[in-house]
Amino acid sequence: MKIKLLLTITFFVCLNLKAQEFKTPVDYLSYIGKEQENISKSMWKYTSAVAHSKSARRIDNTRKLLVKSIQTANKKVSALKDGYKGDVEYRNQVIEFLNISEKNINEEYDKIINMQEVAEQSYDLMEAFIMTRDLVNKKIDAEYEKVSLAQKTFAAKYNINLSEDTSELGKKMKISAEVFDYHTQLYLIFFKTNITDLFLSQAIEKKDIGAIQQNSSALIQYADEGLEKLKAIKPYNGDNTMVLVTKKALEYYKKEALQYAPKVVDFLMFNEKFDTARKSLESKSDKDRTKEEIDNYNGMVKQINKEIDNFNKINNANLQEKNTIIGNWNTTGDNFISGHVPVG
């Protein structure tokens, strides 16, 4: 399962400039604001691609276009060497913001992708991946706050009135961030049981009874913890599909640990007992084998065939249910994101 990556960037407030007597500083702000608008549009295209596209190539192409728009804006703003009549504080802060944004979206993106490739190996690695991704967002947001302050300081200095009404694009970005955050919250609850189930499956494959019992206990614990957390999570804008599908997944994993795993252990223990009896009988010559040993072994042969047949049935049924549960979770998650992140 791949968690969707979103680098949330909040760009400048919509400018509504009212200062005819200060026409030159207004033009200066408008010029920089236009460059920021171009970046905002590119950022939205990237966000929309992450939410609505299944193509990794398209998503990466929109990311590259975003980086290019930042580079273009940086060149234009950097060319304003004197700022406004020697006042370069606002200009310099914008350049710093653009430099850090480009670095994080470009270079840090590659680091995050590398982390994502190994994140699904454990819950701790997944948490570290998400924390790193969120840290990138916070770095960019922190720089934005500095730019916002510099913008307000410049406007105040030249008696320019700024309207802080949120633009339609800004609203879309805000909604998108909320949707991805909500999805991530549910994903972590689901993933903790999902990865433990993987460890359980590996233990079963290795026929490690101790590991099976250990992971079964952990699976019950994490399922119970997750179900308790779900009680506090409200529907997103009336949509409770993510909570419900996660609840069904946790209930399945708990049932698997309580019902399926013990049957696996019983089968493996009987199989070990059968192998011991077989090896014991094979180690003796025909004349040394007692009638009781032979009858006991023949009875176990009949029993092992039944046990294998029963095990295959419960194993196939469990696998089919598991695939359905995981498939439903993935589909619901994709539909939730594409359904709530604005289009266009």
Side-chain angles (χ1 to χ4, degrees):
M1 294 179 59
K2 298 296 181 184
I3 195 166
K4 294 184 182 294
L5 180 68
L6 175 64
L7 300 180
T8 306
I9 302 177
T10 309
F11 287 104
F12 298 152
V13 293
C14 179
L15 291 178
N16 183 8
L17 306 173
K18 302 175 182 178
Q20 293 181 357
E21 63 272 36
F22 297 106
K23 188 174 181 179
T24 303
V26 169
D27 288 344
Y28 176 73
L29 276 182
S30 296
Y31 180 85
I32 296 178
K34 183 178 180 181
E35 297 306 316
Q36 296 303 320
E37 183 180 357
N38 291 335
I39 296 174
S40 296
K41 290 178 180 178
S42 295
M43 184 61 210
W44 175 243
K45 288 180 181 179
Y46 171 65
T47 302
S48 184
V50 170
H52 301 288
S53 177
K54 299 291 185 181
S55 170
R57 177 177 294 182
R58 182 190 170 195
I59 293 172
D60 194 50
N61 284 340
T62 56
R63 180 185 67 86
K64 291 175 180 177
L65 289 173
L66 171 59
V67 172
K68 187 175 181 180
S69 69
I70 293 174
Q71 292 171 339
T72 300
N74 204 339
K75 289 179 181 179
K76 291 184 177 181
V77 176
S78 296
L80 306 174
K81 297 185 182 299
D82 295 328
Y84 176 68
K85 295 184 178 180
D87 188 345
V88 296
E89 183 176 353
Y90 175 48
R91 165 197 174 271
N92 291 346
Q93 196 63 64
V94 171
I95 292 173
E96 181 68 13
F97 170 74
L98 294 174
N99 286 337
I100 290 177
S101 295
E102 180 184 351
K103 181 179 185 298
N104 280 279
I105 296 172
N106 199 6
E107 297 176 15
E108 296 299 323
Y109 177 90
D110 291 332
K111 294 179 183 178
I112 292 173
I113 290 299
N114 291 334
M115 289 186 68
Q116 186 176 15
E117 291 176 354
V118 299
E120 296 185 6
Q121 294 179 8
S122 75
Y123 180 78
D124 289 341
L125 288 174
M126 179 59 71
E127 268 197 325
F129 157 69
I130 292 174
M131 287 176 64
T132 302
R133 183 200 64 182
D134 291 345
L135 182 60
V136 170
N137 294 339
K138 289 179 181 178
K139 286 180 181 178
I140 297 176
D141 288 344
E143 289 305 313
Y144 159 73
E145 292 298 329
K146 294 179 184 178
V147 172
S148 180
L149 179 59
Q151 182 192 53
K152 291 175 182 177
T153 301
F154 181 90
K157 183 176 181 179
Y158 296 99
N159 296 323
I160 301 173
N161 295 322
L162 298 179
S163 170
E164 296 189 6
D165 294 336
T166 305
S167 65
E168 283 302 313
L169 189 58
K171 289 179 182 178
K172 289 180 180 180
M173 295 297 294
K174 184 175 182 297
I175 292 172
S176 300
E178 292 174 351
V179 171
F180 278 92
D181 286 345
Y182 188 90
H183 179 274
T184 297
Q185 182 183 16
L186 273 299
Y187 177 82
L188 279 175
I189 295 174
F190 168 78
F191 181 77
K192 196 166 189 176
T193 51
N194 180 260
I195 189 65
T196 306
D197 169 72
L198 174 62
F199 298 151
L200 174 61
S201 297
Q202 292 173 345
I204 292 173
E205 186 176 351
K206 295 176 182 177
K207 300 179 181 179
D208 187 336
I209 294 176
I212 292 172
Q213 294 172 330
Q214 180 181 357
N215 284 293
S216 294
S217 296
L219 194 54
I220 294 169
Q221 177 188 341
Y222 297 150
D224 284 337
E225 289 175 357
L227 288 168
E228 192 63 30
K229 289 179 180 178
L230 290 181
K231 294 178 182 178
I233 300 178
K234 298 179 180 179
Y236 180 83
N237 285 348
D239 184 349
N240 205 34
T241 55
M242 286 299 300
V243 172
L244 292 178
V245 77
T246 304
K247 184 173 184 288
K248 286 184 179 179
L250 298 184
E251 289 172 342
Y252 157 74
Y253 285 126
K254 184 175 180 178
K255 184 183 74 171
E256 179 189 43
L258 288 171
Q259 298 179 17
Y260 169 71
K263 292 178 181 178
V264 173
V265 171
D266 289 343
F267 172 75
L268 292 177
M269 291 179 69
F270 182 83
N271 196 51
E272 285 184 1
K273 184 179 179 180
F274 173 78
D275 282 342
T276 300
R278 178 181 57 79
K279 290 176 182 178
S280 175
L281 195 66
E282 290 176 349
S283 68
K284 298 179 180 181
S285 63
D286 290 343
K287 65 178 182 177
D288 292 329
R289 296 173 181 175
T290 67
K291 184 178 183 303
E292 182 180 356
E293 285 178 322
I294 294 173
D295 289 344
N296 179 61
Y297 177 73
N298 288 336
M300 292 185 72
V301 170
K302 293 180 181 179
Q303 184 64 25
I304 194 66
N305 289 332
K306 292 181 181 178
E307 293 293 334
I308 291 174
D309 185 55
N310 289 335
F311 177 75
N312 287 336
K313 288 179 180 178
I314 64 171
N315 190 55
N316 290 335
N318 181 68
L319 182 60
Q320 184 176 357
E321 185 176 6
K322 180 187 300 185
N323 289 338
T324 299
I325 287 291
I326 294 175
N328 287 344
W329 200 96
N330 283 328
T331 300
T332 303
D334 288 341
N335 291 341
F336 175 81
I337 291 173
S338 62
H340 290 285
V341 171
V343 180

